[in-house]
Amino acid sequence: MFDFHCPECDRRQLLFSSQVERVINDDQGIAVIVRCWCGELGAVRTGAKRASRGEQAPGFALAS
Ligand SMILES: [Zn+2]
């Protein structure tokens, strides 16, 4: 479930995974695009920022 503040409803909503429209991984991290019960789309930011080139994500190192 996702905790989402819907500006259209002006209240906190709990949304199910079936209400996820898509997931975007950009420079600011992971954005889960959700559709509220009222039909409004919104984004829930989650996860860590994506590692830039030359950096390794935590716990994910290349073997040498
Ligand atoms: Zn809503």
Side-chain angles (χ1 to χ4, degrees):
M1 294 181 87
F2 294 91
D3 180 354
F4 168 67
H5 182 271
C6 176
E8 187 68 24
C9 298
D10 194 26
R11 59 180 282 193
R12 178 178 168 234
Q13 299 282 19
L14 290 177
L15 306 179
F16 292 101
S17 57
S18 62
Q19 291 168 280
V20 172
E21 294 284 324
R22 61 184 181 272
V23 177
I24 300 169
N25 190 5
D26 61 16
D27 292 339
Q28 297 175 352
I30 299 168
V32 180
I33 309 301
V34 294
R35 185 174 298 277
C36 181
W37 302 100
C38 70
E40 181 79 5
L41 284 175
V44 178
R45 284 281 175 188
T46 184
K49 286 178 66 172
R50 180 167 52 182
S52 62
R53 288 177 186 235
E55 294 179 15
Q56 297 294 320
F60 191 80
L62 295 174
S64 55

mmCIF file of all heavy atoms in Angstrom, residues 56 60-64:
data_model
loop_
_atom_site.group_PDB
_atom_site.id
_atom_site.type_symbol
_atom_site.label_atom_id
_atom_site.label_comp_id
_atom_site.label_asym_id
_atom_site.label_seq_id
_atom_site.Cartn_x
_atom_site.Cartn_y
_atom_site.Cartn_z
ATOM 1 N N GLN A 56 28.844 3.217 -7.098
ATOM 2 C CA GLN A 56 28.172 1.941 -7.026
ATOM 3 C C GLN A 56 27.017 2.063 -6.051
ATOM 4 O O GLN A 56 27.114 2.753 -5.031
ATOM 5 C CB GLN A 56 29.134 0.846 -6.525
ATOM 6 C CG GLN A 56 30.309 0.592 -7.453
ATOM 7 C CD GLN A 56 29.867 0.016 -8.790
ATOM 8 O OE1 GLN A 56 28.971 -0.834 -8.827
ATOM 9 N NE2 GLN A 56 30.465 0.471 -9.859
ATOM 10 N N PHE A 60 26.195 -3.355 -3.973
ATOM 11 C CA PHE A 60 26.244 -3.845 -5.341
ATOM 12 C C PHE A 60 27.589 -3.458 -5.946
ATOM 13 O O PHE A 60 27.719 -2.464 -6.629
ATOM 14 C CB PHE A 60 25.113 -3.225 -6.166
ATOM 15 C CG PHE A 60 24.933 -3.858 -7.516
ATOM 16 C CD1 PHE A 60 24.253 -5.043 -7.647
ATOM 17 C CD2 PHE A 60 25.452 -3.249 -8.650
ATOM 18 C CE1 PHE A 60 24.092 -5.619 -8.882
ATOM 19 C CE2 PHE A 60 25.287 -3.830 -9.887
ATOM 20 C CZ PHE A 60 24.607 -5.021 -10.002
ATOM 21 N N ALA A 61 28.608 -4.230 -5.610
ATOM 22 C CA ALA A 61 29.964 -3.919 -6.091
ATOM 23 C C ALA A 61 30.375 -4.954 -7.136
ATOM 24 O O ALA A 61 29.964 -6.100 -7.101
ATOM 25 C CB ALA A 61 30.936 -3.941 -4.920
ATOM 26 N N LEU A 62 31.166 -4.496 -8.094
ATOM 27 C CA LEU A 62 31.666 -5.402 -9.120
ATOM 28 C C LEU A 62 32.820 -6.216 -8.564
ATOM 29 O O LEU A 62 33.649 -5.719 -7.811
ATOM 30 C CB LEU A 62 32.157 -4.599 -10.336
ATOM 31 C CG LEU A 62 31.090 -3.831 -11.097
ATOM 32 C CD1 LEU A 62 31.743 -2.984 -12.178
ATOM 33 C CD2 LEU A 62 30.090 -4.782 -11.718
ATOM 34 N N ALA A 63 32.893 -7.466 -8.950
ATOM 35 C CA ALA A 63 34.018 -8.316 -8.536
ATOM 36 C C ALA A 63 35.248 -7.893 -9.327
ATOM 37 O O ALA A 63 35.159 -7.534 -10.494
ATOM 38 C CB ALA A 63 33.690 -9.782 -8.812
ATOM 39 N N SER A 64 36.409 -7.933 -8.677
ATOM 40 C CA SER A 64 37.646 -7.531 -9.363
ATOM 41 C C SER A 64 38.512 -8.732 -9.667
ATOM 42 O O SER A 64 38.266 -9.815 -9.222
ATOM 43 C CB SER A 64 38.419 -6.527 -8.529
ATOM 44 O OG SER A 64 38.657 -7.038 -7.245
#
